[in-house]
């Protein structure tokens, strides 16, 4: 018979702790007062714990996340760093809780989800205050973990056990992209780095690939020379034998501008990876951007820049979607305002055909505005 004990956690709640088969177990009492927790323990022992063999396992968020990360993220995601960053913020607040506790109202009529949102917005969780979009992304990833466990293939928990809460609103769409003069300054600063060495710098190679192929950061860092075909003039960002995820990768033609860059990099190669290794590149990118006095440079901005310039120069949406490995609908939704004369046809139809407007007088100059 296991020995049960009550312990108060950092969140103020008392938990029942015991060991079963060399594995530590715990069950929340949902109480912050010791007397009430003792009463709960007595009832729990008489009821739910009376038949341990037939009892339904009770999982904490930490238990569910650990299993989700090991069995899903590590196997199916090319880069798990975003999972770790997300969990670093979620874990201190949610890790020890069970699913019913997430949406249970406290004395102040605020549940743990609402409390997390407020603390993240104020910067009391995480390194700095977070936007609603960032918080939404973190909570969405935690909800994905619960739904993964509730999937009929696994049935770790039932669908009815998955808590329901209102998500923070999405952040306004980001529309930062680099203009031609900013690109030139950025690449000039990167070239300066290369001039200090006997070979092209890693950061310059990365920037060329990001701006010329619109590929995502991890796809560029994982690119091997074996997938750069100089005969067919193609770069294949797809990794053989890796399962296709939502962030699909494309086969992209090598532009006439990029080709001599890649040929030089190939002659100077020091291994199988085009960018030498997969270690973090963004400190170097930010350093180059600071030297060039170009603000707000990020992975999203480089990819967004490439797509924006393609569309502004008349590249068909379907072609851009293929290079980005996105759907045509996604490209239209994200970049519609960058497509030259996107709505001109509709406006001409409305004014010239449907309303059949004709000028009634010679055009005059615009009247001056009142002071």
């Amino acid at each position: 018979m296991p020995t049960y004990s009550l312990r108060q956690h950092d969140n103020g709640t008392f938990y029942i702790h015991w060991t079963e088969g060399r594995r530590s177990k715990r069950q929340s009492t949902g109480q912050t007062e010791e007397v009430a927790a003792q009463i709960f323990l007595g009832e729990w022992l008489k009821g739910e714990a009376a038949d341990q063999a037939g009892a339904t396992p009770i999982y904490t968020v930490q238990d569910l996340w650990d299993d989700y990360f090991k069995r899903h993220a590590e196997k199916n995601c090319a880069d798990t760093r975003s999972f770790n960053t997300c969990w670093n913020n979620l874990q201190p607040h949610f890790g020890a809780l069970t699913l019913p506790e997430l949406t249970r109202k406290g004395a102040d009529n605020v549940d743990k989800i609402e409390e997390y949102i407020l603390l993240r917005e104020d910067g009391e969780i995480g390194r700095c205050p977070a936007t609603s979009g960032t918080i939404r992304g973190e909570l969405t990833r935690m909800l994905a973990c619960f739904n993964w466990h509730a999937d009929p293939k696994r049935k770790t928990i039932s669908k009815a056990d998955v808590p329901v809460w209102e998500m923070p609103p999405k952040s306004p769409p980001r529309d930062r992209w680099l203009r031609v003069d900013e690109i030139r300054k950025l690449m000039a600063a990167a070239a300066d780095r290369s001039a200090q060495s006997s070979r092209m710098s890693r950061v310059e190679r990365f920037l060329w690939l990001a701006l010329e192929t619109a590929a995502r950061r991890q796809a560029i860092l994982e690119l091997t020379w074996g997938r750069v075909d100089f005969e067919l003039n193609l770069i294949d960002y797809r990794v053989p034998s890796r399962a296709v995820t939502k962030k699909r990768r494309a086969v992209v033609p090598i532009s006439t501008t990029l080709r001599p860059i890649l040929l030089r990099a190939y002659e100077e190669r020091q291994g199988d990876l085009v960018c030498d290794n997969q270690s973090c590149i963004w400190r170097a990118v930010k350093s180059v951007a600071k030297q060039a006095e170009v603000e707000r440079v990020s992975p999203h901005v480089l990819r967004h820049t490439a797509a924006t310039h393609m569309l502004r120069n008349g590249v068909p949406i379907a072609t851009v979607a293929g290079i980005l490995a996105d759907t045509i609908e996604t490209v239209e939704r994200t970049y519609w305002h960058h497509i030259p004369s996107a709505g001109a046809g509709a406006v001409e139809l409305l004014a010239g055909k449907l309303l059949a407007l004709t000028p009634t007088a010679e055009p005059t100059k615009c009247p001056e505005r009142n002071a």
Side-chain angles (χ1 to χ4, degrees):
M1 182 71 178
T3 300
Y4 300 93
S5 62
L6 280 174
R7 300 178 197 168
Q8 189 174 27
H9 286 212
D10 292 340
N11 61 5
T13 302
F14 280 89
Y15 285 75
I16 304 168
H17 285 258
W18 74 98
T19 300
E20 183 178 311
R22 295 186 178 181
R23 183 176 181 182
S24 297
K25 302 278 188 176
R26 61 185 171 189
Q27 163 64 38
S28 172
T29 66
Q31 306 296 327
T32 57
E33 299 294 334
E34 187 172 4
V35 173
Q38 290 285 358
I39 294 173
F40 180 95
L41 173 61
E43 294 298 320
W44 186 81
L45 288 172
K46 285 189 290 185
E48 295 184 43
D51 184 9
Q52 288 293 323
T56 302
I58 299 173
Y59 299 101
T60 64
V61 176
Q62 179 81 59
D63 296 331
L64 296 174
W65 182 273
D66 288 346
D67 193 44
Y68 174 67
F69 184 83
K70 182 177 181 179
R71 295 170 58 194
H72 171 70
E74 288 188 334
K75 290 184 178 180
N76 300 312
C77 298
D79 186 8
T80 58
R81 282 176 289 190
S82 61
F83 279 82
N84 293 327
T85 300
C86 180
W87 186 238
N88 285 341
N89 293 324
L90 293 169
Q91 194 277 335
H93 192 77
F94 296 117
L97 302 179
T98 59
L99 297 188
E101 292 176 315
L102 297 182
T103 52
R104 184 181 297 159
K105 298 288 185 180
D108 53 359
N109 202 35
V110 174
D111 61 37
K112 290 297 181 181
I113 299 291
E114 295 168 325
E115 184 179 69
Y116 180 79
I117 294 172
L118 294 173
L119 292 173
R120 282 292 277 133
E121 289 177 338
D122 292 340
E124 295 185 37
I125 293 179
R127 293 185 295 177
C128 58
T131 64
S132 62
T134 297
I135 302 169
R136 181 187 179 92
E138 292 169 351
L139 293 176
T140 297
R141 185 157 282 182
M142 185 169 71
L143 183 59
C145 165
F146 302 155
N147 286 328
W148 184 86
H149 280 287
D151 188 282
K153 296 177 183 178
R154 286 165 286 275
K155 292 184 179 179
T156 312
I157 58 177
S158 71
K159 193 67 178 176
D161 292 333
V162 177
V164 178
W165 64 81
E166 184 177 352
M167 287 288 186
K170 294 181 179 179
S171 294
R174 296 173 291 179
D175 197 32
R176 165 65 170 148
W177 52 280
L178 303 181
R179 300 187 180 275
V180 174
D181 62 316
E182 292 178 307
I183 295 174
R184 287 173 177 166
K185 289 194 293 184
L186 187 68
M187 298 312 297
D192 287 343
R193 296 290 180 93
S194 298
Q196 301 171 17
S197 174
S198 59
R199 62 194 293 261
M200 188 185 303
S201 67
R202 180 171 180 254
V203 68
E204 185 177 7
R205 276 173 279 152
F206 177 86
L207 288 172
W208 275 114
L209 286 165
L211 291 169
E212 287 287 328
T213 68
R216 293 184 175 90
R217 172 186 56 82
Q218 193 61 26
I220 295 174
L221 294 180
E222 291 181 351
L223 180 64
T224 60
W225 285 114
R227 288 183 279 122
V228 178
D229 192 327
F230 288 109
E231 289 188 14
L232 296 179
N233 217 46
L234 294 173
I235 296 174
D236 189 352
Y237 280 111
R238 300 170 303 176
V239 178
S241 73
R242 177 179 291 174
V244 177
T245 66
K246 290 182 179 180
K247 292 185 176 180
R248 297 183 295 273
R249 298 184 180 185
V251 178
V252 184
I254 301 173
S255 70
T256 54
T257 304
L258 181 61
R259 184 178 175 86
I261 301 296
L262 285 178
L263 286 171
R264 176 187 168 185
Y266 182 75
E267 292 298 322
E268 298 173 346
R269 69 189 184 280
Q270 293 183 348
D272 193 39
L273 289 169
V274 176
C275 287
D276 292 344
N277 57 70
Q278 296 184 38
S279 62
C280 181
I281 190 73
W282 281 104
R283 287 184 181 177
V285 173
K286 289 179 180 179
S287 176
V288 168
K290 183 178 180 180
Q291 177 184 336
E293 298 182 347
V294 178
E295 298 180 350
R296 295 167 55 202
V297 179
S298 70
H300 173 84
V301 166
L302 294 178
R303 181 173 166 85
H304 194 51
T305 295
T308 298
H309 280 284
M310 282 189 284
L311 289 167
R312 286 169 68 89
N313 284 281
V315 178
I317 292 179
T319 303
V320 175
I323 292 173
L324 296 178
D326 280 335
T327 64
I328 293 177
E329 292 76 11
T330 298
V331 174
E332 286 182 334
R333 183 175 64 250
T334 307
Y335 299 100
W336 174 258
H337 56 295
H338 288 300
I339 302 173
S341 305
V347 174
E348 291 296 331
L349 177 66
L350 178 66
K353 300 292 179 64
L354 298 183
L355 298 183
L357 294 179
T358 55
T360 56
E362 290 297 322
T364 60
K365 67 177 183 179
C366 295
E368 295 182 1
R369 293 186 178 183
N370 295 328

